[in-house]
Amino acid sequence: MTKNRDVLTLLPEGQRVEYARGEVLADVLVRAGLPLSLYCHKRGLCGKCLVKIVRGELALPDDLERTLAARLEWPAGYRLACRLVLDSPLAIEVPARSLVREVPILETGTSTDVLPEPAVKKYAVDGRALSFDRAASCFDAVASALGAKNLTCGDGVLGKLPVVPGGLFTAVVYDDRTLIDLEPGDTTGRCLGAAVDLGTSTVVVDVLDLVSGQSLGRASAVNSQAAYGADVVSRLTYAFERPDHLQRLRRAITRQVAELIREASAQAGDSPGGVRDIVVAGNTAMNHLLLGVAVESLAVLPFEAVFSRLPPLDAASAGLDLSSAARLYVVPNIRSFIGGDITAGLAASGLAKRKGTWLFVDLGTNGEIVLKKGRELIAASTAAGPAFEGMNISCGMLAVRGAVDRAGWRDGFVLSTVGNEPPRGLCGSGILDVLAVALDQGLIAPDGKVVGPARSLALAPGISLTQADVRNVQLAAAAVKTGVRMMLREFRVGPQDLQGVLLAGAFGNALDIGHAMRLGLIPVLPLDRVAFVGNSSLAGAKKLLLSAPARAEAEDLVRKIHHYSLAADARFQDEFIEAMEFKPDTGGGA
Amino acid sequence: MTKNRDVLTLLPEGQRVEYARGEVLADVLVRAGLPLSLYCHKRGLCGKCLVKIVRGELALPDDLERTLAARLEWPAGYRLACRLVLDSPLAIEVPARSLVREVPILETGTSTDVLPEPAVKKYAVDGRALSFDRAASCFDAVASALGAKNLTCGDGVLGKLPVVPGGLFTAVVYDDRTLIDLEPGDTTGRCLGAAVDLGTSTVVVDVLDLVSGQSLGRASAVNSQAAYGADVVSRLTYAFERPDHLQRLRRAITRQVAELIREASAQAGDSPGGVRDIVVAGNTAMNHLLLGVAVESLAVLPFEAVFSRLPPLDAASAGLDLSSAARLYVVPNIRSFIGGDITAGLAASGLAKRKGTWLFVDLGTNGEIVLKKGRELIAASTAAGPAFEGMNISCGMLAVRGAVDRAGWRDGFVLSTVGNEPPRGLCGSGILDVLAVALDQGLIAPDGKVVGPARSLALAPGISLTQADVRNVQLAAAAVKTGVRMMLREFRVGPQDLQGVLLAGAFGNALDIGHAMRLGLIPVLPLDRVAFVGNSSLAGAKKLLLSAPARAEAEDLVRKIHHYSLAADARFQDEFIEAMEFKPDTGGGA
């Protein structure tokens, strides 16, 4: 031990950590690998890095710490790690509540963990202790109390400033940079956020505690824009039929999102005003309609989105009125047909950080395909049509109760249904299973022709798959297959080079991977290299809600991801025709 | 001449400038001291750095330059200095229109020059040439065409994006960072701004061309809030009488400012929509009322402003509807009683950049005093009351036609009036002159007592200065004198240390400096060290309108200026009583 060094003992384990005198305890603990809560970035504002002093002599706490200790009523013998300069041997205990933990996000097949570091934070301030010595104004005094010199003032906050500083109040701050609201009293115990999966069919809202990362409530509903069109194309058409239609679509969805936030907040035992940050992950068209942005450019050549990344918006200005100021973060679109839902999915699956070569495929009306090769990211989209979602299929249906979701063969089709109810129709995964089984049994030829005079596969009373149905699935599958094959070839990746395939989208976990390979939908790989990432859009929205650094990473990803236009490639047509054949893709054609 | 160097000849003078091959012509010209216009920061967008090639062999222009040349129809033989890489000897002429010139701002006694570098700029873009190769969206394609990678999208612009890019359009950009509007066609020929001197009594609006810096129109009117109170205090009182009163005051002034901008724009032959940037210099109370911010904190201890610096606002959101998107920059308040008008005045007078020790005094209802000593800036305010503006004086009036503005003595008072009309009353400068003359003639004692039984100085038929009038001026003068003396003493500055005194405010250029010294209002100094800076608030607003860098400097000044609270100093009362005596201040008391 050199002259200027001492030892910190961490009880009860007795771990010893050496430090140089003059170091701040919080820094020493972080260096020692403890996930100490640094919510307020060591500004002594939040009291979340409290440690218990077991042995040792310490300088007295400063004014800031004494005031905080009195307000938060913490017991004697506790000190703020971020304010404690070490100068003699010390033994401490770090309470569990002073540590941050990664929160598991469970929407996805492969779970993703996130360390909460929210964009919106709350700090309590004692108005009576505001100092005007060096502050030019009430706002500057608040900024100074928050230790945020370059704080800017959000719209509408000026009106609250002169009133609140009388007693204890709470500052709601975005990105430690913008004051977005002030509340009377200490309301730091509660700061909510909403993650919104804005799907064309369904809207799901999760309300989370932004500090702990816990999910507190959920609400979902069929997208209310469905009244104006079932799918994206019909809504876009409706939107540019008449100028007021776009705003009608906008109002429908903004009202619904606000209502779902209200509902999920109520489940959390809170008012919607508790929600201060909203993250929306939607496809490009849904994002445009949410903001009332004209969609003509999405529908005509060269099919471009109006925007990709946007700065955080004021939720009320964007039509989401929640009774308190909140920010709205729209997860950036990658390209016209590759929306924020995919960006969110990539964030949830941590694709950019995975080692090696990976394929991410989102199967829905559009097949979005992202290939990660080394540090390169390439994205493409291909129009699969709605067959994978059970649409445009004579006995097709969504994956709800009674839908055939799996099929096998034991001297005839063996069907299983959602909820084990009597079969009412076929959902996407059931259709693919039926097709794979029928191919193996010779009931369908590799070119898709249904064998036999009936030109139809009878599956259960009143449920069959017709030749036309098979053709529709064939087209959908061919679109995805073509996309995957062309991307792999363009970027010189063989199926064997793939570290793994991540499957997101309509099928959930229901898809039989072996069958998907049998049909050629994904390349043939050892089964353990294929993983489902489920509703990665909602998972990503939650991750981006809880972690401001994850947003920065997602924006960085959108900036550097390369768009590969399948349609612009002259080989697309030939490839597509070849892909119409149902056969496993072993990369032989590459 | 070494191997890699060549010579550029500037015609017609023949000046020779050496350069290294590979250098860009614009850089070489700037290094040679030419004030070349770099409006678009060398991004090849504006065509303002055009030079005529007289001799020399050049590589052909690139696509960007060819497109611009075609659009702006410049003659053959002209090239963009910012795109031209030099690699062989060259002789050029730089046309006068490719040079920027400092614009003199004439509101002030000592004129100030400013190099136009506006915050709002316009760039024409050819929508047909937008590239989507690497752009994720229409917005990104526009950002890329503007060479502004980190461009953010202002509110309301998203709605215009998908429509405009068909043909030629113009992007209106704030701070080269935020796209605030798009206009069809090339409208770069016209980009206006408005400088607003928001006085308690009078509002003056100047509309300027942001590129040339030329003033194009002016409109002024009595502040329409006067209907709710003649002075600041009565308006503040009105504002917190009832909640809707604040908004009433706000509406009155925002409507008026918008109307004056309309009027001044019409003089400029333009629509108000041409105005894209507005700079308002007002005192702290006027700034609060303009934005509808509660004024309670200004009126009760500890008398603090709600805000000092604000980010640039959206003019329409702030109630200034001009038919096109515009930004509103409120010149930052220094402190509760030292407003943005003083900040503007300091900017106009260039106080922070002057060498040595300087005193800036703004004489009005408040006396604002700023002392610059070395790199330190100290500001104080003192409540003088309205006597200097001719108010609370029995025969007082504003400095309008018929007001006695100067007085001397030749066997009796010799009066001169504004407009040489028959005297109708006394304005501030006239009152001070009369007092100084009366002191010299023994008609008033140094303690302010009017000699003789009438207790009144008869000046002209119906015009006199009463004992009560003298007392009012005495109080006003004592407030200012006390402030100046205490500041000089506190910061160990004797009058002889002062490089100069800058006088702003009510008196304009009419004040007799010798008389002001005779009364002790300003310290005794050689007369040539005292300069008038006139309406420095308007001049400052114009300077800050034309120069974004000047705004940054002003904000920096507000950040570092130290507030000296006279009222909090225990010696104030004694000093004030002593200052009641009319006598020259030679610094002897320091």
Side-chain angles (χ1 to χ4, degrees), chain B residues 275-567:
Chain B
V275 169
R276 297 302 197 154
D277 200 11
I278 305 164
V279 170
V280 172
N283 63 47
T284 309
M286 290 307 115
N287 287 343
H288 279 55
L289 295 177
L290 175 73
L291 301 178
V293 173
V295 288
E296 277 81 349
S297 67
L298 279 174
V300 298
L301 269 169
F303 306 115
E304 295 297 345
V306 174
F307 64 91
S308 159
R309 283 168 288 132
L310 289 178
L313 307 169
D314 175 62
S317 305
L320 297 173
D321 204 343
L322 302 174
S323 77
S324 286
R327 283 290 184 270
L328 169 64
Y329 181 79
V330 179
V331 183
N333 305 312
I334 293 172
R335 198 73 191 234
S336 37
F337 298 119
I338 313 173
D341 51 348
I342 302 302
T343 308
L346 297 178
S349 63
L351 192 77
K353 287 182 177 169
R354 288 176 184 248
K355 290 212 170 74
T357 304
W358 286 81
L359 194 64
F360 176 98
V361 184
D362 188 293
L363 292 167
T365 306
N366 273 316
E368 289 99 348
I369 307 158
V370 181
L371 179 65
K372 180 196 166 283
K373 183 187 171 194
R375 301 177 65 176
E376 260 190 305
L377 283 156
I378 308 111
S381 69
T382 177
F388 290 150
E389 284 161 342
M391 305 291 176
N392 279 4
I393 302 293
S394 57
C395 296
M397 65 184 290
L398 290 175
V400 292
R401 299 178 79 85
V404 173
D405 63 344
R406 303 300 286 262
W409 184 269
R410 207 178 307 127
D411 303 326
F413 282 104
V414 184
L415 308 177
S416 75
T417 62
V418 177
N420 286 322
E421 296 199 354
R424 293 168 46 211
L426 295 159
C427 71
S429 59
I431 294 168
L432 290 189
D433 274 3
V434 167
L435 274 181
V437 168
L439 272 169
D440 280 341
Q441 299 299 328
L443 302 175
I444 292 178
D447 67 0
K449 204 174 205 173
V450 180
V451 177
R455 287 302 182 94
S456 174
L457 299 172
L459 299 168
I463 299 175
S464 60
L465 201 66
T466 68
Q467 180 66 66
D469 294 340
V470 175
R471 292 294 179 217
N472 279 334
V473 179
Q474 211 170 358
L475 289 169
V480 175
K481 284 154 78 174
T482 307
V484 170
R485 284 185 200 175
M486 286 178 70
M487 278 182 83
L488 293 183
R489 188 155 54 211
E490 179 74 14
F491 298 98
R492 297 171 199 285
V493 173
Q496 69 288 353
D497 301 323
L498 290 173
Q499 207 73 24
V501 176
L502 303 173
L503 285 176
F507 295 107
N509 304 351
L511 186 68
D512 181 307
I513 295 172
H515 284 165
M517 290 181 185
R518 171 69 185 85
L519 297 171
L521 199 57
I522 54 173
V524 174
L525 283 176
L527 289 183
D528 62 0
R529 292 210 204 161
V530 181
F532 293 109
V533 290
N535 186 350
S536 63
S537 172
L538 181 58
K542 288 165 78 166
K543 182 171 183 174
L544 299 176
L545 176 64
L546 291 177
S547 167
R551 291 186 201 180
E553 284 169 21
E555 290 179 12
D556 196 47
L557 181 149
V558 167
R559 219 174 272 119
K560 77 177 198 194
I561 201 164
H562 187 83
H563 179 240
Y564 175 47
S565 173
L566 296 169

Side-chain angles (χ1 to χ4, degrees), chain B residues 54-70:
Chain B
V54 181
R55 275 194 311 277
E57 304 253 320
L58 294 174
L60 289 173
D62 60 12
D63 277 357
L64 189 69
E65 184 169 351
R66 258 205 311 275
T67 314
L68 195 64

Side-chain angles (χ1 to χ4, degrees), chain A residues 11 31 40 64 187 199 204 245 268 317 391 457 475 505 544 552 578 589:
Chain A
L11 299 175
R31 203 178 57 223
C40 73
L64 189 68
T187 63
V204 185
H245 282 186
S317 306
M391 306 291 176
L457 299 171
L475 289 169
L544 299 175
E578 200 191 315

